[in-house]
């Protein structure tokens, strides 16, 4: 049981690898190079709304920085995940991680909050990227979305 924390951190690192790999796959569907990806997104001319909970905000995929913001939103999870994994191991060795306690004086609570916010943002941006019209013909999720309409 005591060593389970190390297996859990390895699983968490693998999760970051999977999210980054899926995002790279999405980018490959848009185009092989950055110029091809931007050219594909520039064809999308209409402004759209984000989905819940940011449904009051609008975005336009043809804007020059849209792709960069999506990359930041998704890939922020990878370095934060590595950081929290290293921090988890260090705090566990020092005895101040304490997975069984929800007391804020232990690192478990803070690392859990950082990880939750980071994975939530990455998943949100990843789903938004996957729902672009330019990717719908390639994504398996679009079949499910089209069937539920």
């Amino acid at each position: 049981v005591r060593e389970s924390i190390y297996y859990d951190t390895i699983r968490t690192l693998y999760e970051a690898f999977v999210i980054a790999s899926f995002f790279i796959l999405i980018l490959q569907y848009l185009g092989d190079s950055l110029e091809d990806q931007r050219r594909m997104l520039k064809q999308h001319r209409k402004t759209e709304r984000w989905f819940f909970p940011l449904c009051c905000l609008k975005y336009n995929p043809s804007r020059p920085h849209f792709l960069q913001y999506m990359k930041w939103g998704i890939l922020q999870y990878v370095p934060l995940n590595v950081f929290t994994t290293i921090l988890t191991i260090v705090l566990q060795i020092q005895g101040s991680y304490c997975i069984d306690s929800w007391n804020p004086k232990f690192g478990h609570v803070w690392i859990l909050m950082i990880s939750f916010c980071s994975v939530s943002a990455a998943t949100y941006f990843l789903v938004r990227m996957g729902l672009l019209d330019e990717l719908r013909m390639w994504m398996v999720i679009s079949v499910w979305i089209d069937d539920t309409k």
Side-chain angles (χ1 to χ4, degrees), residues 4-94:
S4 68
I5 189 74
Y6 302 110
Y7 293 115
D8 190 48
T9 54
I10 291 170
R11 181 199 52 82
T12 306
L13 281 175
Y14 181 71
E15 185 179 282
F17 172 75
V18 168
I19 286 178
S21 297
F22 186 63
F23 180 61
I24 290 168
L25 176 69
I26 288 175
L27 290 177
Q28 285 297 308
Y29 283 141
L30 277 177
D32 291 332
S33 67
L34 182 61
E35 292 80 28
D36 292 341
Q37 295 165 3
R38 287 186 177 159
R39 192 175 319 115
M40 181 68 102
L41 288 174
K42 282 188 181 198
Q43 295 173 2
H44 192 98
R45 293 286 181 202
K46 80 178 189 189
T47 300
E48 296 183 14
R49 290 192 179 275
W50 289 90
F51 54 90
F52 183 80
L54 299 178
C55 49
C56 58
L57 301 176
K58 295 180 181 179
Y59 71 97
N60 189 341
S62 65
R63 295 276 172 113
H65 296 295
F66 174 77
L67 189 58
Q68 189 66 37
Y69 293 144
M70 296 302 282
K71 286 180 182 179
W72 287 345
I74 295 167
L75 295 178
Q76 53 78 27
Y77 180 65
V78 177
L80 271 175
N81 195 320
V82 171
F83 171 72
T84 56
T85 299
I86 293 169
L87 193 58
T88 298
I89 293 170
V90 169
L91 290 174
Q92 179 68 21
I93 291 170
Q94 290 180 345

Side-chain angles (χ1 to χ4, degrees), residues 69-135:
Y69 293 144
M70 296 302 282
K71 286 180 182 179
W72 287 345
I74 295 167
L75 295 178
Q76 53 78 27
Y77 180 65
V78 177
L80 271 175
N81 195 320
V82 171
F83 171 72
T84 56
T85 299
I86 293 169
L87 193 58
T88 298
I89 293 170
V90 169
L91 290 174
Q92 179 68 21
I93 291 170
Q94 290 180 345
S96 50
Y97 184 70
C98 196
I99 197 167
D100 297 326
S101 175
W102 287 96
N103 190 334
K105 75 177 184 178
F106 294 112
H108 172 69
V109 175
W110 301 105
I111 289 174
L112 196 62
M113 285 194 309
I114 292 169
S115 295
F116 174 75
C117 292
S118 180
V119 76
S120 296
T123 305
Y124 187 85
F125 282 101
L126 197 59
V127 169
R128 177 68 264 166
M129 191 75 179
L131 293 178
L132 288 174
D133 290 338
E134 292 79 12
L135 294 169

